[in-house]
């Protein structure tokens, strides 16, 4: 039995008993996912802090470089994320012979994605020219990306192999290797940035080399583990090699491209908002960034539960248990709502203390506190929408949810936020708070439309390939 996919609860059991059993399974699946997500976030924090101690130019260069590679990675992460529900569905249906051929198609897509990312990241001179960066900062940014590009294949390899390990219910595997990557990244940053053990001080460029090496070592260790572990002996990467197959590649792309585009749309919207707020001054931008960082940290919990929900729903549909899939999809909304209410209450009651943790400047704290109060409302809609879209991904329903998210974010949330921030068309100009109201409106739209989609369409028969 897989360590995380528990036996199907009997329908004769009381509804509450079945629901609690499913929630327990979500916790078992989601706990390691949460730790892996935090470890991945920690890498960014480590890079930022250590580059900042080198110089302001190094910090700026790493920040700009990260803003260029992150959207690309998020797209391919979403695309390859299709492997998780596909493989989990095969696991539930016990059609194990289809798992490794699907994994290999994912590896081919990871290879193609690596070529695209490397080509784009090593040729960003026109973008840097448009940004009118100071020459030294532009040089460090390009050097950072050139070094970072060497680790892109390892990063996408681990993302593809996550489809195999998470799809089989073994979410602890990626957790372990994500933590390993973070633990390696810290000393390597110290060595390369500041020039230790006889190496020259590389500053921000050293961050790129440290990230590449830590990703490479973690990916190599993961490959060794998968080829030597007794658990994965029947899923041997080399022995079960499969040639590229257009039909299988197309199946992954049909599910994965909408996921990748949805994640890209959401991430890019936050970047656009930051650009729109820039004319309001550094105090407003700083307060917005602090509030956004707090919300992002809190979001890791519902995101991890959502990723676990995707795995569980796809497993149950593959196992021919649509009633239980419907139960966990709908009951998870109660769990999400409870989580959101707790987060909203914490933000409402402790906004001043949270702001004080980030900054000692009174003006920035004042802006942050105001935005955190709006973020409390933002939480409820955000947690519910991620739960709905995660359940739909478990049903392999990704195209319509993509259109819903594009409409809600770009068609509603962003225009509403712009109007409330800079104009008096709807309400006297609110400043940065206007974008948070717009975000809340967009997310509310998304949560309602995705919830309608989930309740009306998702419980139908799973169309396994």
């Amino acid at each position: 039995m897989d360590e995380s996919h528990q036996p199907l609860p009997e329908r004769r059991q009381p509804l509450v008993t079945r629901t609690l059993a499913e929630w327990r399974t979500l916790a078992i699946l989601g706990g390691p996912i949460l730790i892996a997500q935090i470890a991945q976030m920690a890498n960014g924090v480590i890079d930022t802090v250590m580059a900042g101690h080198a110089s302001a130019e190094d910090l700026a260069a790493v920040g700009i470089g990260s803003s260029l590679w992150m959207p690309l990675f998020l797209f391919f992460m979403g695309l390859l994320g299709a492997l998780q529900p596909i493989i989990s569905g095969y696991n539930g249906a016990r059609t194990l012979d289809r798992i490794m051929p699907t994994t290999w198609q994912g590896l081919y897509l990871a290879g193609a994605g690596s070529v695209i990312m490397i080509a784009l990241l090593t040729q960003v001179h026109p973008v840097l020219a448009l940004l009118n960066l100071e020459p030294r900062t532009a040089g460090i940014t390009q050097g950072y990306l050139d070094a970072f590009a060497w680790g892109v294949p390892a990063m996408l390899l681990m993302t593809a192999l996550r489809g195999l390990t998470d799809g089989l219910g073994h979410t602890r595997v990626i957790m372990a290797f994500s933590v390993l990557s973070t633990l390696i990244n810290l000393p390597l940053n110290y060595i390369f940035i500041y020039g230790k053990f006889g190496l020259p001080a590389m500053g921000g460029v050293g961050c790129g080399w440290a990230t590449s090496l830590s990703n490479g070592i973690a990916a190599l260790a993961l490959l060794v583990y998968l080829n030597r572990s007794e658990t994965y002996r029947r899923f041997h990467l080399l022995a079960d090699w499969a040639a590229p197959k257009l039909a299988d590649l197309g199946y992954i792309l049909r599910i994965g491209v909408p996921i990748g585009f949805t994640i890209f749309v959401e991430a890019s919207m936050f970047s656009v908002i930051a650009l729109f707020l820039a004319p309001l001054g550094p105090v407003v931008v700083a307060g917005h960034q602090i509030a956004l960082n707090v919300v992002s940290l809190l979001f890791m919990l519902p995101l991890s539960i959502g990723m676990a929900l995707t795995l569980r729903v796809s497993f149950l549909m593959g196992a021919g248990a649509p009633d239980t899939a419907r139960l966990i999809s709908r009951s998870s909304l109660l769990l999400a709502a409870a989580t959101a209410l707790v987060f909203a209450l914490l933000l409402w009651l402790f906004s001043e203390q949270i702001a004080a943790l980030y900054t000692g400047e009174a003006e920035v704290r004042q802006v942050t506190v105001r935005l955190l109060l709006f973020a409390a409302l933002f939480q409820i809609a955000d947690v519910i929408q991620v739960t709905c879209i995660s359940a739909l991904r478990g049903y392999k329903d990704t195209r319509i949810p993509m259109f819903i998210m594009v409409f809600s974010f770009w068609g509603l949330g962003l225009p509403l936020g712009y109007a409330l921030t800079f104009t008096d068309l709807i309400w006297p100009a609110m400043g940065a708070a206007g974008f948070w109201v717009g975000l809340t409106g967009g997310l509310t739209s998304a949560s309602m439309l995705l919830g309608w989609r989930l309740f009306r369409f998702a419980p139908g028969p799973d169309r396994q390939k």
Side-chain angles (χ1 to χ4, degrees):
M1 181 195 307
D2 298 323
E3 66 186 36
S4 299
H5 283 315
Q6 303 299 309
L8 303 183
E10 297 184 15
R11 295 190 63 184
R12 293 171 296 180
Q13 294 177 339
L15 182 63
V16 173
T17 302
R18 293 172 62 203
T19 301
L20 291 176
E22 286 299 318
W23 284 7
R24 178 178 178 273
T25 301
L26 281 187
I28 294 171
L29 284 165
I33 293 175
L34 176 61
I35 295 172
Q37 295 297 118
I38 292 173
Q40 290 167 4
M41 285 189 69
N43 273 333
V45 174
I46 290 169
D47 286 352
T48 300
V49 171
M50 298 185 79
H53 280 88
S55 75
E57 291 88 352
D58 288 295
L59 175 59
V62 171
I64 293 166
S66 297
S67 68
L68 291 173
W69 69 257
M70 184 61 75
L72 291 172
F73 171 67
L74 289 174
F75 173 79
F76 286 111
M77 182 186 74
L79 189 157
L80 295 171
L83 293 170
Q84 290 155 295
I86 292 172
I87 291 175
S88 185
Y90 291 154
N91 188 31
R94 310 315 293 172
T95 53
L96 304 184
D97 59 304
R98 306 179 79 167
I99 289 177
M100 286 314 298
T102 299
T103 301
W104 269 102
Q105 307 312 307
L107 292 174
Y108 295 132
L109 289 174
S114 298
V115 172
I116 294 170
M117 277 193 70
I118 291 170
L120 292 174
L121 294 178
T122 54
Q123 299 297 324
V124 296
H125 308 88
V127 177
L128 299 180
L130 286 174
L131 293 174
N132 292 320
L133 295 178
E134 186 269 328
R136 173 172 160 74
T137 302
I140 297 172
T141 301
Q142 185 63 72
Y144 164 78
L145 290 173
D146 288 343
F148 177 87
W150 285 92
V152 166
M155 188 167 61
L156 293 186
L157 171 66
M158 286 190 67
T159 304
L161 291 177
R162 183 174 190 168
L164 171 64
T165 57
D166 281 9
L168 292 173
H170 305 152
T171 54
R172 296 177 188 174
V173 174
I174 291 299
M175 174 197 74
F177 289 98
S178 295
V179 171
L180 174 64
S181 176
T182 301
L183 293 176
I184 295 171
N185 188 50
L186 180 59
L188 288 181
N189 261 342
Y190 178 73
I191 293 169
F192 292 137
I193 292 174
Y194 306 122
K196 304 299 178 181
F197 302 105
L199 292 174
M202 302 181 193
V205 176
C207 280
W209 287 116
T211 302
S212 289
L213 278 173
S214 59
N215 283 335
I217 293 170
L220 182 60
L222 176 60
L223 286 172
V224 171
Y225 169 78
L226 292 177
N227 280 284
R228 294 193 176 184
S229 168
E230 298 233 349
T231 304
Y232 289 89
R233 183 163 292 174
R234 58 179 171 170
F235 302 108
H236 197 284
L237 279 173
L238 297 180
D240 293 332
W241 172 81
K245 190 174 180 182
L246 289 179
D248 291 343
L249 291 169
Y251 180 52
I252 296 171
L253 290 172
R254 281 197 303 275
I255 297 172
V257 168
I259 298 176
F261 187 71
T262 300
I263 295 173
F264 177 83
V265 162
E266 187 171 358
S268 61
M269 188 187 66
F270 285 103
S271 299
V272 169
I273 289 175
L275 292 175
F276 276 141
L277 290 177
L280 297 182
V283 170
V284 172
V285 172
H288 170 76
Q289 288 301 123
I290 292 172
L292 185 59
N293 184 257
V294 172
V295 168
S296 299
L297 287 172
L298 293 178
F299 187 65
M300 288 300 102
L301 178 58
L303 176 63
S304 300
I305 294 174
M307 293 171 72
L309 181 61
T310 298
L311 293 173
R312 185 60 176 168
V313 169
S314 57
F315 176 86
L316 291 168
M317 293 303 292
D323 289 342
T324 306
R326 185 183 302 113
L327 170 67
I328 187 59
S329 296
R330 296 183 176 184
S331 66
S332 292
L333 291 174
L334 296 176
L335 188 62
T339 302
L341 288 173
V342 170
F343 285 170
L345 188 62
L346 290 174
L347 290 174
W348 187 269
L349 293 177
F350 301 106
S351 57
E352 293 187 6
Q353 292 87 338
I354 292 171
L357 289 174
Y358 281 85
T359 180
E361 297 184 23
E363 290 183 336
V364 176
R365 281 207 310 270
Q366 185 178 2
V367 173
T368 302
V369 168
R370 186 178 182 221
L371 295 182
L372 286 177
L373 297 180
F374 285 100
L377 299 175
F378 171 98
Q379 283 295 302
I380 298 172
D382 199 19
V383 171
I384 291 176
Q385 70 84 16
V386 76
T387 303
C388 290
I389 203 167
S390 297
L392 289 167
R393 287 170 184 168
Y395 288 106
K396 304 181 185 66
D397 181 14
T398 59
R399 189 169 61 90
I400 298 301
M402 174 189 70
F403 291 128
I404 289 174
M405 294 296 282
V406 170
F407 164 75
S408 297
F409 279 128
W410 288 89
L412 180 61
L414 193 61
L416 176 61
Y418 186 90
L420 290 172
T421 298
F422 297 110
T423 75
D424 300 328
L425 291 175
I426 303 172
W427 195 267
M430 301 172 64
F435 273 118
W436 285 82
V437 175
L439 284 171
T440 303
L443 286 167
T444 300
S445 165
S447 63
M448 293 174 65
L449 292 172
L450 291 169
W452 171 77
R453 176 81 180 168
L454 179 62
F455 273 73
R456 288 292 302 275
F457 296 101
D462 182 41
R463 290 181 174 87
Q464 290 282 354
K465 181 176 179 298

